Amino acid sequence: MGNYDDYKRGRDLAWETLINSRVSSLPVELDRVAGCCGVSVISFERAVKAGYIYEDEAVGKMFAKTIDGIKTVFVNNTLENKGSIRFLIAKGIGCCLLAKNPSYITERTAYEAGIFARDLLMPATVLFGLGVKDAADIARICHVSQRAAQIRAERMAQLYERNRFNGHPLEKRVRAQFDTFINENKLN
């Protein structure tokens, strides 16, 4: 697990990405985010057919590498849980943004990319604004897996307990960007 600086790097990059991509509603549109970040996302099947990767590379759930100068996320879109696929794509985008060469991901970068994916898909300030505390609501609103939603709900409980929302300037900007969505979709 990374240290607090690694955590902040992934978190802050997620906030910056939401702001720069002008995302203002949940679930986050990953094709829009990828496009704004200059990252391509392609399924294993399509990548093999197009000759971007060899069939023996199309294993596991996701990996990233640079193809013709474009950082690209390759994802196994045959997984049953579409929420898991969304998290993998977000993590892959994070790897592309955080690493000079996305083919060589360090443990630190993988950790930061996981934080990035969590905060991109399930921004705490937005969930707080909506009054969301329950994993089922997080999964439904953010279109993530129940497992990812449960982990986020546990972290949200800590944030609620410590009242740690909207303290960072970037987080405040994300909250402002989502204000209309929050006002139209509050749970309470």
Side-chain angles (χ1 to χ4, degrees):
M1 187 190 273
N3 63 36
Y4 189 59
D5 286 336
D6 300 338
Y7 175 91
K8 288 190 306 185
R9 187 169 180 224
R11 178 201 68 190
D12 293 357
L13 182 60
W15 290 337
E16 290 170 3
T17 302
L18 288 168
I19 293 163
N20 294 337
S21 301
R22 294 190 171 96
V23 173
S24 59
S25 65
L26 298 177
V28 170
E29 297 174 43
L30 288 173
D31 55 342
R32 176 187 199 160
V33 171
C36 288
C37 294
V39 174
S40 178
V41 178
I42 188 167
S43 70
F44 284 175
E45 181 182 6
R46 205 170 111 223
V48 170
K49 284 181 183 175
Y52 294 130
I53 61 172
Y54 296 109
E55 197 164 330
D56 63 344
E57 290 179 284
V59 294
K61 296 178 181 179
M62 178 274 295
F63 68 93
K65 70 181 198 177
T66 303
I67 302 289
D68 297 329
I70 299 170
K71 290 184 177 184
T72 305
V73 176
F74 298 93
V75 66
N76 181 350
N77 68 342
T78 64
L79 299 173
E80 284 187 33
N81 189 309
K82 299 307 175 198
S84 292
I85 294 170
R86 283 177 47 77
F87 194 90
L88 289 168
I89 291 169
K91 187 170 182 178
I93 293 169
C95 287
C96 288
L97 297 176
L98 290 158
K100 284 185 182 181
N101 183 346
S103 297
Y104 301 102
I105 301 300
T106 64
E107 229 178 274
R108 174 184 174 185
T109 302
Y111 171 76
E112 292 170 346
I115 298 299
F116 170 87
R118 180 200 69 192
D119 289 353
L120 182 79
L121 295 173
M122 303 170 280
T125 184
V126 178
L127 297 176
F128 172 70
L130 293 169
V132 173
K133 295 182 181 179
D134 179 76
D137 287 333
I138 294 171
R140 178 180 53 80
I141 293 167
C142 301
H143 293 190
V144 295
S145 70
Q146 188 61 39
R147 180 174 181 266
Q150 183 60 47
I151 292 168
R152 186 49 157 168
E154 290 167 8
R155 176 68 178 147
M156 289 295 294
Q158 294 170 351
L159 295 172
Y160 274 109
E161 187 177 299
R162 295 180 4 221
N163 193 25
R164 297 292 293 171
F165 298 101
N166 303 316
H168 191 286
L170 288 172
E171 186 179 26
K172 290 176 184 177
R173 287 181 60 194
V174 169
R175 173 61 186 258
Q177 193 163 295
F178 277 83
D179 268 348
T180 300
F181 175 80
I182 290 168
N183 290 333
E184 293 173 355
N185 293 282
K186 280 187 182 177
L187 294 183
N188 351 7

